[in-house]
């Protein structure tokens, strides 16, 4: 059995040993500190590399906490004993300086990407708008070509005007794009100039349609009326027909000259009328000539009518005079008849009165006896 004294001595020995070991742990060696510093620089290097990669990816927000952690790690005094300490701190400073530049670069790239996206959208919108305008303008071109070398009629002019209106509406739909795209604005101006030319062509075609369907057609119908007038026996009806024919030719000539004044090139360029080329200048001359000829015919008929009307008036006056004479004679006969009847009535009344007096005298004489 171990004695109490021996046990106490053992505990004292153990206690001294523990104190010795504890004293040795509190004072680290330079080698231990250097190893710890190198471990810290390795940790900082990893953080710095990660931060650098984040910055390469333009992720400044992701790099900032890693740089803060690396700064904290490099702040330990043992790091100064590591050969990598200065390089790590230099890398840290460089990366910290890059943070605002990376932020600016990211903002710039985002802005550039946004602008590029907006440009792509604008280019797509402009391209679609340009295609729509080209398609609409193609219809205008086809409508203009449909007027060339053919009879100009209201349906073709209407088709052209409708095509022009559709193109104008398409241009109006893309008005906002003109402020954003100079190239499209320039093409829109070119289209507008082409539309102005098409509108001028439509106005000319409409004037030709109005002329052909109005005065010219009326003058052509006048030929049939003129034939009818030649065979008409009744003077007034013949005069009315010739007057109508003259007015048709006269209006045809006046409208043709007006059209030539508005569109001088029509003096050389023929128009298509029922599939035949017709010069407006020739129509004007022909209508004016026919109007002049018929004016003389109308004047002769008017003179004949005046002469006839005077003759009829004279007959009417003579008839009226005869009727008046007959009426006066009849009135005289009636007056004489009435006077005779009145005289006869008075004589009859006097005779009756005389008889009554004689009768009354007889009655009185008879009564006296």
């Amino acid at each position: 059995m171990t004695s109490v004294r021996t046990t106490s001595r053992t505990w004292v020995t153990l206690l001294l040993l523990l104190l010795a070991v504890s004293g040795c742990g509190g004072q680290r060696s330079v080698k231990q500190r250097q190893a710890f510093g190198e471990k810290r620089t390795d940790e900082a290097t990893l953080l710095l590399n990660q931060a650098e990669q984040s910055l390469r990816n333009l992720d400044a927000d992701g790099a900032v906490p890693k740089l803060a952690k690396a700064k904290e790690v490099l702040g330990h005094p043992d790091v100064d004993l590591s050969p990598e300490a200065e390089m790590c701190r230099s890398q840290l400073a460089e990366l910290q300086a890059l943070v605002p530049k990376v932020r600016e670069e990211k903002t710039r790239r985002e802005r550039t990407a946004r602008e590029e996206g907006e440009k792509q959208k604008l280019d797509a919108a402009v391209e679609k708008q340009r295609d729509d305008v080209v398609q609409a303008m193609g219809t205008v071109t086809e409508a203009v070509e449909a007027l060339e070398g053919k009879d100009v009629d209201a349906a073709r002019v209407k088709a052209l005007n409708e095509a022009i209106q559709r193109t104008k509406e398409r241009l109006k739909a893309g008005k906002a794009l003109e402020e954003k795209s100079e190239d499209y604005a320039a093409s829109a101006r070119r289209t507008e100039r082409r539309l102005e030319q098409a509108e001028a062509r439509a106005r000319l075609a409409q004037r030709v349609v109005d002329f052909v369907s109005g005065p010219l057609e009326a003058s052509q119908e006048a030929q049939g009326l003129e034939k009818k007038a030649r065979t008409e026996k009744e003077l007034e009806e013949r005069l009315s027909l010739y007057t109508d024919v003259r007015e048709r030719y006269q209006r045809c000539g006046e409208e043709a000259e007006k059209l030539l004044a508005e569109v001088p090139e029509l003096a050389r360029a023929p128009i298509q009328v029922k599939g035949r080329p017709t010069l407006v200048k020739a129509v004007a001359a022909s209508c004016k000539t026919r109007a002049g000829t018929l004016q003389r015919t109308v004047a002769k008929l008017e003179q004949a009518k005046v002469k006839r009307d005077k003759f009829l008036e004279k007959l009417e006056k003579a008839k009226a005079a005869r009727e008046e004479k007959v009426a006066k004679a009849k009135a005289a006969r009636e007056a004489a008849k009435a006077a005779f009847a009145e005289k006869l009535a008075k004589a009859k009344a006097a005779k009756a009165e005389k008889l009554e007096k004689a009768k009354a005298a007889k009655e009185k004489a008879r009564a006296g006896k």
Side-chain angles (χ1 to χ4, degrees), residues 151-254:
D151 284 356
V152 178
D153 58 30
R156 290 192 180 95
V157 176
K158 181 181 179 183
L160 175 55
N161 284 323
E162 288 176 349
I164 291 171
Q165 185 58 36
R166 285 194 299 271
T167 307
K168 283 185 174 182
E169 291 173 357
R170 175 48 55 191
L171 283 173
K172 184 178 179 181
K175 200 68 178 177
L177 294 175
E178 295 181 20
E179 299 178 358
K180 301 175 182 179
S181 172
E182 293 183 1
D183 180 63
Y184 172 71
S187 68
R189 298 291 83 75
R190 290 193 294 271
T191 301
E192 288 173 351
R193 287 192 291 272
R194 291 178 62 193
L195 283 178
E196 289 174 358
Q197 295 172 351
E199 285 181 315
R201 184 67 181 86
R203 286 193 296 271
L204 169 60
Q206 186 61 55
R207 286 288 291 116
V208 172
V209 166
D210 293 341
F211 172 71
V212 171
S213 62
L216 182 59
E217 184 175 329
S219 70
Q220 292 171 343
E221 292 173 353
Q223 297 175 8
L225 293 174
E226 191 173 356
K227 291 180 181 179
K228 182 179 179 181
R230 292 194 194 101
T231 59
E232 178 59 47
K233 302 299 182 182
E234 177 60 37
L235 177 60
E236 289 186 352
E237 182 62 21
R238 189 160 70 252
L239 175 60
S240 176
L241 286 170
Y242 273 118
T243 301
D244 183 16
V245 172
R246 180 205 62 187
E247 290 176 351
R248 288 169 181 258
Y249 281 122
Q250 188 173 8
R251 188 167 66 254
C252 169
E254 290 172 353

Side-chain angles (χ1 to χ4, degrees), residues 10-284:
T10 301
W11 280 106
V12 170
T13 303
L14 290 171
L15 181 59
L16 291 172
L17 181 60
L18 288 172
L19 289 172
V21 172
S22 176
C24 291
Q27 296 294 327
R28 293 182 300 158
S29 65
V30 173
K31 186 175 181 181
Q32 288 175 325
R33 290 180 61 202
Q34 183 177 1
F36 182 76
E38 290 176 355
K39 183 178 179 182
R40 301 283 284 191
T41 54
D42 289 343
E43 182 182 351
T45 298
L46 179 61
L47 289 168
L48 290 171
N49 289 339
Q50 291 175 348
E52 183 177 2
Q53 186 59 45
S54 294
L55 291 174
R56 289 181 184 277
N57 295 334
L58 300 181
D59 183 13
D61 292 339
V64 166
K66 294 181 178 66
L67 292 174
K69 181 65 176 176
K71 182 178 180 181
E72 179 185 345
V73 170
L74 293 174
H76 196 282
D78 289 351
V79 171
D80 293 335
L81 300 175
S82 172
E84 306 293 330
E86 188 62 30
M87 184 180 66
C88 286
R89 289 194 177 102
S90 177
Q91 184 180 6
L92 173 63
E94 291 176 358
L95 294 178
Q96 286 177 325
L98 283 176
V99 169
K101 296 180 180 180
V102 167
R103 290 187 190 279
E104 292 177 1
E105 179 63 17
K106 182 179 180 182
T107 301
R108 186 191 68 78
R109 291 192 183 185
E110 288 176 347
R111 183 174 62 253
T112 301
R114 186 168 55 253
E115 291 173 353
E116 184 63 27
E118 292 174 353
K119 184 177 182 303
Q120 290 177 355
K121 288 182 181 179
L122 175 61
D123 290 344
V126 167
E127 190 64 24
K128 183 180 182 304
Q129 171 67 12
R130 198 192 306 274
D131 289 344
D132 291 342
V133 171
V134 168
Q135 184 177 358
M137 195 62 206
T139 307
V140 173
T141 302
E142 291 175 0
V144 170
E145 291 174 350
L147 296 174
E148 304 300 333
K150 299 177 182 177
D151 284 356
V152 178
D153 58 30
R156 290 192 180 95
V157 176
K158 181 181 179 183
L160 175 55
N161 284 323
E162 288 176 349
I164 291 171
Q165 185 58 36
R166 285 194 299 271
T167 307
K168 283 185 174 182
E169 291 173 357
R170 175 48 55 191
L171 283 173
K172 184 178 179 181
K175 200 68 178 177
L177 294 175
E178 295 181 20
E179 299 178 358
K180 301 175 182 179
S181 172
E182 293 183 1
D183 180 63
Y184 172 71
S187 68
R189 298 291 83 75
R190 290 193 294 271
T191 301
E192 288 173 351
R193 287 192 291 272
R194 291 178 62 193
L195 283 178
E196 289 174 358
Q197 295 172 351
E199 285 181 315
R201 184 67 181 86
R203 286 193 296 271
L204 169 60
Q206 186 61 55
R207 286 288 291 116
V208 172
V209 166
D210 293 341
F211 172 71
V212 171
S213 62
L216 182 59
E217 184 175 329
S219 70
Q220 292 171 343
E221 292 173 353
Q223 297 175 8
L225 293 174
E226 191 173 356
K227 291 180 181 179
K228 182 179 179 181
R230 292 194 194 101
T231 59
E232 178 59 47
K233 302 299 182 182
E234 177 60 37
L235 177 60
E236 289 186 352
E237 182 62 21
R238 189 160 70 252
L239 175 60
S240 176
L241 286 170
Y242 273 118
T243 301
D244 183 16
V245 172
R246 180 205 62 187
E247 290 176 351
R248 288 169 181 258
Y249 281 122
Q250 188 173 8
R251 188 167 66 254
C252 169
E254 290 172 353
E255 288 296 322
E257 288 186 340
K258 183 178 178 181
L259 183 59
L260 287 171
E262 293 176 0
V263 192
E265 55 267 29
L266 286 179
R268 299 180 301 276
I271 60 175
Q272 292 292 321
V273 180
K274 297 181 180 180
R276 296 175 59 186
T278 304
L279 283 172
V280 177
K281 187 176 181 180
V283 171

Side-chain angles (χ1 to χ4, degrees), residues 303-321:
Q303 291 174 358
K305 183 176 180 299
V306 169
K307 185 177 180 180
R308 187 204 65 177
D309 289 343
K310 287 182 178 179
F311 176 73
L312 291 176
E313 184 181 0
K314 185 176 181 180
L315 288 178
E316 286 294 324
K317 287 181 178 180
K319 181 180 178 182

